[in-house]
Amino acid sequence: MSDRNQLVKENFINFVRARTLPKSTCVLSPSDVGLSSAEVIDLFETQVMSRHLDLQSRVMQKKGQSFYTIGSSGHEGNAAYAKAFRPTDMAFLHYRSAAFVIQRSKQVPGQTILYDMLLSFAASKDDPISGGRHKVLGSKALAIPPQTSTIASHLPKAMGAAFSIPLAERLAHQGEIPNDGVIICNFGDASSNHSTTQGAINSTAWAAYQSIPMPIVFVCEDNGIGISTATPEGWIAANYANRAGLTYLYCDGLNILDTYQTAKKAERIARELRKPVFLHIRTVRILGHAGSDAEFVYRDIADITATEFQDPLLHTARIILENNILMSKELIKIYQDVESRIAVIAENAASKAKLTSAEAIMASIVPQNHKALSSIAVSDETRAAIFSHEQHNLPKKQHLAKLINWTLMDLMAEYPSIVMCGEDIGKKGGVYNVTAKLCERFSKNRVINTLLDEQTILGTAIGLAHNGFLPIPEIQFLAYVHNAEDQIRGEAATLPFFSNGQFTNPMVIRIAGLAYQKGFGGHFHNDNSFAVFRDIPGLIIACPSNGADAVEMMRASVRLAQEQQRMVIFLEPIALYMAKDLHQEGDGLWTFEYQAPALADQSIDLGVKVAGSGQQVCILTYGNGNYLSRQAQAKLAEQGIDVRVVDLRWLAPLDEPGILAQVNACEHVIIVDECRQTGSISEALVTLIHEQISQCPKIKRVTASDSFIPLGAAAYEVLPSVENIIAAAKEMCQ
């Protein structure tokens, strides 16, 4: 490894000393593109810094001081387009962007970027962006959210952030990004094939095609290879050069003058015209994919040698020499001085303390920097106008769907920063009318009909959150989330962790789901498993089973997102949306009065709710299971078996003290879980009880089968039923 490092350094010095340099692909001088000699030298220094950081990281890895050596060698031309944009233009970067970060840091006073980046390399807890949790490129001061993505999963949120900028201006919202800001988002040619790239660029072009402002520059750094798989020649241009709604520009990323000039053109189109740009930049990859990558296994030595001769540092050296800015020996001195400087800083950074406890590591999973309540007082007159279509219904008890709708109506009036987005949520009001009239009352700027793509919906929400909005995205059906679950897991939920709490993605993600839909839809519309969310650290999962709880829990969820910067999954049982009766037709026992905000308890209660005080059987359940268990409770009482039903309500984090208190009060425990037997929350509940209660009661689970949900009446053969619950209770009590 050190031999390869030495060869790279010697090649640069020898080529510059002999003035054996690669030929230019375009004839430009610094003055042609508006750069002074000093600025060209500055860009060269940035490129050299980036290169020596790469080389130093390999030295550190060999010493056991560094752990992640994917570098930026060959991509140092991104220093030139960093200079073309403002430091307030939020940048979503891939991992070969060190030169971009260094150059941007020169635009903001007080930065110590080399030290900061080496702290990150060394996984030091003093690393100012991640606190030692990962080698990431990011900085709050530089408007660069940290990014570890290797699959371009950052493009949807970049698209969302771009959408949010003109939206903030239309809504007079004071966001994190200036109203004349631009979003920069770069990625590699191999990542252009990923669904997240395709979806994000398609969504951007779809919006721009309709004249919706989208101030974003997508930068594809094309080095012609993805790890060991070559990108077909001409592939990127063929895909994007003539894309509707998108301006395509190309430049030679090895030439800083061409790159800067073309990037300035892209910047003007995005900033002044507010149109999206696809900036295709030619680069090369030097030193392989990563430190462990044996490049000679899949590339010819001649190809590797030819590629390394196209080193962007050599191209910049040629520009400097041809324009008589510096002499060869001065270029070499800059190169060697930077090397020495970085080596000294690296030793210092490597000596700094690391994270040494689980508590310290996990401290940033849940954001600690809470924000003040941002709601506004809504006058009686305003509220009367908002609910004018429901005045005759407001005093009446209502079902779950209607009560969620009314809650959203009040919340959108109280919180001007709330923006909803999703499929069909506008004038249609959603598949189940849960968002009915919201668009009419609050405009299409705040209730946004998206195209039919879950990655776009969630990416839009994350981008909105980056700009200070409080998003409430809707996923139309639970199974649909699997198309885009990494936007929750890998992008939004990890952001506080990898930024040491400096960046957050507060939002409430509404998802219609769970089963019991009277034969509708099969598994794709009738999904009973939410296990995908349960292992995401820091995520809150709410699941109301009735309208009264839904009102309280939705308001609590918004406050958790707004004040505590949390991410909340709000799981709404479709089968209970319109349920009115509990035991018999017409009893109305599953409808509830709506508590207006002024009359409601505004505290955040993450605890369980208990029905009954029986001491024989404690039923732990949620969602549809609570509805079924309440029916079983009444029938068991007729048979002399007294039962209390505990509605968990919040499925993450579980109210462990509340659960254990109810279990301790009873002889037996039944867990009614409509999710599958394997991977369901019932497993966690059994574990909790066994670990925390010394005299453990007898426990029985009533769960769904390990099956997808079939169509029609067959669905009920694989789901818990009232009869199953009654049989389990009788068996335990006999």
Side-chain angles (χ1 to χ4, degrees):
M1 186 183 301
S2 60
D3 291 342
R4 185 72 191 281
N5 279 12
Q6 191 61 33
L7 180 62
V8 168
K9 289 185 280 191
E10 288 176 358
N11 280 344
F12 175 83
I13 292 169
N14 292 335
F15 287 142
V16 171
R17 182 175 288 137
R19 297 183 72 127
T20 305
L21 300 169
K23 293 181 180 180
S24 174
T25 56
C26 58
V27 181
L28 289 169
S29 69
S31 60
D32 291 336
V33 302
L35 290 175
S36 67
S37 295
E39 288 175 312
V40 173
I41 295 170
D42 181 63
L43 286 170
F44 174 70
E45 181 196 50
T46 294
Q47 292 181 301
V48 172
M49 287 175 170
S50 177
R51 175 62 54 82
H52 280 302
L53 283 173
D54 283 358
L55 299 175
Q56 189 64 43
S57 72
R58 292 169 177 241
V59 172
M60 293 170 71
Q61 185 184 46
K62 192 172 183 179
K63 293 180 178 180
Q65 297 172 339
S66 179
F67 313 94
Y68 192 79
T69 56
I70 292 182
S72 305
S73 295
H75 288 246
E76 290 90 352
N78 56 41
Y81 69 78
K83 186 174 179 62
F85 291 87
R86 299 173 186 171
T88 53
D89 291 332
M90 189 167 282
F92 296 89
L93 305 177
H94 72 152
Y95 47 51
R96 301 198 194 279
S97 304
F100 182 103
V101 178
I102 296 167
Q103 188 62 39
R104 174 164 284 195
S105 75
K106 293 179 175 182
Q107 299 173 269
V108 179
Q111 302 301 303
T112 54
I113 196 64
L114 296 180
Y115 182 54
D116 295 348
M117 292 176 75
L118 285 163
L119 286 170
S120 182
F121 290 9
S124 166
K125 68 181 182 66
D126 295 333
D127 163 25
I129 184 60
S130 78
R133 293 171 181 85
H134 206 299
K135 176 197 170 186
V136 293
L137 297 176
S139 167
K140 185 71 173 177
L142 303 181
I144 303 174
Q147 188 63 48
T148 65
S149 170
T150 60
I151 54 171
S153 56
H154 56 302
L155 269 72
K157 65 183 180 184
M159 174 275 303
F163 175 80
S164 78
I165 295 172
L167 179 67
E169 188 174 13
R170 292 195 297 273
L171 294 174
H173 168 77
Q174 187 60 51
E176 301 289 326
I177 307 170
N179 283 347
D180 63 347
V182 169
I183 300 299
I184 308 110
C185 178
N186 68 5
F187 55 98
D189 51 295
S191 293
S192 73
N193 302 305
H194 201 274
S195 64
T196 48
T197 303
Q198 296 292 323
I201 292 177
N202 179 72
S203 299
T204 302
W206 181 84
Y209 187 75
Q210 303 172 73
S211 299
I212 297 171
M214 294 294 288
I216 186 169
V217 178
F218 291 109
V219 184
C220 181
E221 297 188 0
D222 183 359
N223 63 26
I225 193 167
I227 306 182
S228 66
T229 303
T231 297
E233 187 173 352
W235 176 248
I236 300 299
N239 274 274
Y240 296 102
N242 299 296
R243 191 73 176 266
L246 202 61
T247 299
Y248 172 88
L249 300 175
Y250 175 82
C251 67
D252 183 359
L254 307 181
N255 185 310
I256 58 170
L257 304 182
D258 188 28
T259 303
Y260 178 75
Q261 177 178 253
T262 310
K264 286 303 293 182
K265 182 178 180 180
E267 184 256 357
R268 284 192 295 272
I269 293 170
R271 195 180 311 281
E272 296 173 14
L273 303 181
R274 292 190 164 186
K275 292 183 177 180
V277 179
F278 187 96
L279 179 54
H280 181 193
I281 296 182
R282 173 205 177 197
T283 62
V284 293
R285 193 188 75 191
I286 297 173
L287 294 173
H289 174 71
S292 59
D293 180 29
E295 193 177 13
F296 63 87
V297 173
Y298 56 86
R299 295 182 80 174
D300 294 337
I301 295 298
D303 182 29
I304 295 172
T305 302
T307 297
E308 293 190 351
F309 185 64
Q310 293 299 320
D311 187 340
L313 273 64
L314 293 176
H315 277 273
T316 305
R318 176 188 46 75
I319 290 169
I320 291 172
L321 291 170
E322 285 179 350
N323 288 277
N324 298 314
I325 297 172
L326 292 175
M327 294 186 293
S328 296
K329 63 181 181 180
E330 292 171 311
L331 289 171
I332 293 169
K333 187 176 188 305
I334 291 172
Y335 189 86
Q336 292 174 331
D337 286 350
V338 168
E339 177 187 9
S340 300
R341 180 181 170 196
I342 285 177
V344 171
I345 298 172
E347 285 302 313
N348 189 343
S351 70
K352 299 303 179 184
K354 311 296 190 290
L355 293 169
T356 57
S357 70
E359 291 76 16
I361 293 165
M362 297 165 62
S364 65
I365 289 175
V366 174
Q368 302 301 309
N369 297 326
H370 295 179
K371 292 190 176 182
L373 187 66
S374 68
S375 62
I376 61 172
V378 180
S379 68
D380 291 341
E381 293 78 14
T382 299
R383 191 166 183 272
I386 291 170
F387 282 94
S388 59
H389 64 295
E390 294 283 19
Q391 287 299 326
H392 62 293
N393 284 324
L394 277 173
K396 302 175 184 177
K397 292 183 177 181
Q398 300 292 339
H399 53 59
L400 174 66
K402 179 67 76 175
L403 291 175
I404 293 176
N405 174 255
W406 287 357
T407 306
L408 293 172
M409 198 82 70
D410 269 324
L411 285 169
M412 291 195 74
E414 294 170 41
Y415 292 84
S417 62
I418 287 179
V419 173
M420 301 183 66
C421 55
E423 301 170 18
D424 303 313
I425 68 169
K427 288 186 178 181
K428 178 178 172 61
V431 175
Y432 299 100
N433 282 337
V434 178
T435 59
K437 296 295 182 182
L438 293 176
C439 184
E440 287 88 335
R441 295 293 182 265
F442 299 102
S443 87
K444 61 183 181 181
N445 285 319
R446 294 187 62 196
V447 184
I448 300 164
N449 263 350
T450 68
L451 68 176
L452 276 62
D453 175 50
E454 284 69 33
Q455 288 181 159
T456 292
I457 294 168
L458 294 172
T460 299
I462 299 171
L464 288 167
H466 270 296
N467 203 11
F469 286 101
L470 182 57
I472 303 183
E474 177 187 295
I475 301 298
Q476 201 166 82
F477 290 97
L478 176 58
Y480 290 7
V481 82
H482 302 303
N483 298 328
E485 62 190 52
D486 187 58
Q487 290 299 302
I488 300 173
R489 175 191 302 276
E491 291 299 326
T494 60
L495 189 61
F497 182 73
F498 286 128
S499 70
N500 205 15
Q502 296 171 80
F503 289 92
T504 55
N505 283 137
M507 66 183 70
V508 180
I509 304 174
R510 292 183 47 250
I511 304 178
L514 303 177
Y516 295 99
Q517 293 179 61
K518 298 182 179 178
F520 170 68
H523 85 282
F524 209 57
H525 297 91
N526 216 358
D527 189 2
N528 64 330
S529 176
F530 56 93
V532 65
F533 304 124
R534 288 186 49 236
D535 69 339
I536 301 178
L539 197 66
I540 295 173
I541 306 174
C543 184
S545 64
N546 60 79
D549 281 350
V551 173
E552 173 198 330
M553 293 169 70
M554 178 59 80
R555 288 174 178 159
S557 295
V558 167
R559 289 192 61 184
L560 286 164
Q562 167 59 37
E563 298 170 39
Q564 299 183 26
Q565 300 295 286
R566 302 297 295 273
M567 283 191 63
V568 184
I569 299 293
F570 199 84
L571 188 57
E572 301 168 8
I574 296 172
L576 297 176
Y577 268 151
M578 311 299 173
K580 296 181 178 180
D581 307 319
L582 178 59
H583 300 301
Q584 56 194 20
E585 187 175 351
D587 67 20
L589 292 177
W590 218 245
T591 58
F592 301 87
E593 293 180 356
Y594 180 62
Q595 290 290 318
L599 303 174
D601 181 3
Q602 296 298 317
S603 62
I604 297 176
D605 178 9
L606 301 184
V608 300
K609 283 284 181 75
V610 184
S613 56
Q615 297 182 347
Q616 284 181 279
V617 178
C618 174
I619 297 178
L620 302 176
T621 188
Y622 63 90
N624 292 290
N626 184 48
Y627 182 74
L628 300 175
S629 296
R630 291 289 298 277
Q631 293 175 330
Q633 180 184 37
K635 294 181 179 181
L636 286 166
E638 294 172 356
Q639 300 178 47
I641 299 175
D642 62 337
V643 174
R644 69 179 63 192
V645 178
V646 180
D647 186 355
L648 300 175
R649 305 196 314 151
W650 301 91
L651 308 181
L654 288 169
D655 174 20
E656 295 185 0
I659 293 167
L660 295 172
Q662 299 304 319
V663 168
N664 274 320
C666 297
E667 299 173 28
H668 309 294
V669 176
I670 297 175
I671 300 170
V672 178
D673 191 337
E674 61 186 287
C675 191
R676 300 161 198 161
Q677 184 176 46
T678 302
S680 66
I681 204 167
S682 66
E683 295 176 331
L685 292 168
V686 170
T687 302
L688 171 67
I689 295 167
H690 271 284
E691 288 182 347
Q692 298 296 326
I693 297 179
S694 54
Q695 297 295 320
C696 189
K698 187 176 180 181
I699 305 172
K700 184 174 279 291
R701 290 193 296 160
V702 178
T703 71
S705 302
D706 285 344
S707 171
F708 298 107
I709 307 300
L711 189 62
Y716 293 91
E717 300 301 318
V718 296
L719 293 169
S721 66
V722 173
E723 291 71 28
N724 296 152
I725 299 167
I726 292 172
K730 291 172 69 174
E731 180 184 340
M732 295 185 87
C733 292
Q734 285 174 352

